């Protein structure tokens, strides 16, 4: 069981470019969550997705950020026109069905985004 | 909103010492997890413990849901225990609210 796979591990973007972060959940997990960790801070919830559905995006910034979890392939967190304040570690987690979800909450190793 | 507070904010221990980390939360709990973020940034799930007590080797955790707190005990600490310890609270939804963490440094 490969666990939650995130790539890339490190990503450097210039201001104004786009960043795409990928997350492949654990085998058998149908729920994906994205969290952001700013320097010297704890993790903050961004978005919760199931296959082809956004369930809760209450933590997503209103502009430039979007997320998807297609029927096939990994979940993608997309940041358009990045700014220096987007520099952070972005963690993905996955879980199985909702009722079991809270027990099976497993995090990936994160993607560290640096905007220069 | 729901508050998740951790104490102490940082802690320095000599190898072999014991410690207790605390997490207070402000509402009824459905999920409480403890995580260790190592110096390389990896986030490791230590315990899922919405109530009761669990032990795993030198680590144990207790959550008293009625009094809205959880404790993480580290015994015979080792340098590899260094890092940040987060508690994360889950309420009615599937999302977790993380505390601000306890930064632990274990010195040889």
């Amino acid at each position: 069981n490969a666990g939650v796979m995130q790539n890339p591990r490190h990503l450097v973007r210039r201001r104004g470019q786009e960043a795409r972060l990928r997350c492949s959940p654990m085998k058998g997990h149908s729920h994906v969550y994205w969290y952001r960790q700013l320097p010297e801070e704890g993790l903050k919830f961004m978005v919760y997705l199931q296959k082809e559905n956004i369930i809760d995006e209450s933590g997503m910034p209103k502009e430039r950020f979007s997320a998807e979890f297609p029927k096939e392939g990994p979940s993608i967190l997309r940041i358009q026109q990045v700014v220096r304040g987007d520099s952070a570690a972005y963690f993905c987690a996955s879980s199985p069905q909702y009722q079991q979800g809270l027990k099976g909450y497993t995090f990936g190793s994160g993607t560290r985004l640096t905007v220069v | 909103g729901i508050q998740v507070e951790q104490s102490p904010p940082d802690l320095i221990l000599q190898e072999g010492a014991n410690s207790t980390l605390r997490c207070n939360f402000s509402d009824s709990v459905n999920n409480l997890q403890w995580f260790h973020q190592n110096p390389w940034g990896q986030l490791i799930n230590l315990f899922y413990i919405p109530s009761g007590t669990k032990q795993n080797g030198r680590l144990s955790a207790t959550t008293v849901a009625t009094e809205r707190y959880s404790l993480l005990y580290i015994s015979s600490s080792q340098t590899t225990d260094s890092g940040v310890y987060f508690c994360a609270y889950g309420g009615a939804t599937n999302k977790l609210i993380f505390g601000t963490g306890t930064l632990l440094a274990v010195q040889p």
Side-chain angles (χ1 to χ4, degrees), chain A:
Chain A
N1 194 338
V4 179
M5 303 301 292
Q6 289 189 249
N7 65 81
R9 289 295 305 276
H10 301 274
L11 182 61
V12 179
R13 284 288 176 265
R14 295 187 184 279
R15 281 178 293 171
Q17 290 185 319
E18 178 179 287
R20 283 188 178 231
L21 288 61
R22 295 174 191 78
C23 170
S24 296
M26 286 183 69
K27 189 175 181 180
H29 285 192
S30 56
H31 298 225
V32 165
Y33 317 81
W34 287 93
Y35 286 76
R36 177 166 66 175
Q37 185 177 30
L38 295 171
E40 309 298 327
E41 294 188 11
L43 279 74
K44 298 284 196 304
F45 169 80
M46 299 181 75
V47 63
Y48 162 32
L49 310 105
Q50 294 178 23
K51 288 280 188 182
E52 301 183 282
N53 276 313
I54 297 175
I55 306 303
D56 182 348
E57 56 181 348
S58 58
M60 287 280 269
K62 299 299 180 196
E63 297 177 348
R64 301 187 297 108
F65 284 71
S66 62
E68 63 176 3
F69 188 16
K71 188 176 180 180
E72 300 290 338
S75 175
I76 305 288
L77 179 67
R78 182 183 178 203
I79 312 172
Q80 295 178 290
Q81 299 175 342
V82 295
V83 301
R84 286 205 172 131
D86 297 333
S87 296
Y90 292 83
F91 287 91
C92 169
S94 73
S95 71
Q97 295 176 16
Y98 178 84
Q99 286 78 3
Q100 305 166 27
L102 301 182
K103 292 185 180 181
Y105 217 112
T106 304
F107 279 90
S109 297
T111 293
R112 275 127 190 103
L113 172 65
T114 303
V115 179
V116 297

Side-chain angles (χ1 to χ4, degrees), chain B residues 21-81:
Chain B
L21 282 57
R22 185 178 180 104
C23 173
N24 293 331
F25 42 91
S26 60
D27 206 345
S28 304
V29 62
N30 286 321
N31 178 17
L32 196 292
Q33 293 184 244
W34 283 95
F35 294 90
H36 174 215
Q37 189 167 39
N38 64 24
W40 296 271
Q42 286 184 301
L43 204 60
I44 298 156
N45 189 349
L46 298 175
F47 292 104
Y48 165 79
I49 186 160
S51 64
T53 297
K54 288 186 178 178
Q55 180 154 7
N56 184 3
R58 296 181 296 103
L59 303 181
S60 63
T62 295
T63 296
V64 184
T66 53
E67 297 187 22
R68 298 184 180 173
Y69 73 87
S70 183
L71 302 174
L72 178 70
Y73 305 96
I74 305 174
S75 64
S76 304
S77 58
Q78 300 176 359
T79 55
T80 51
D81 295 331

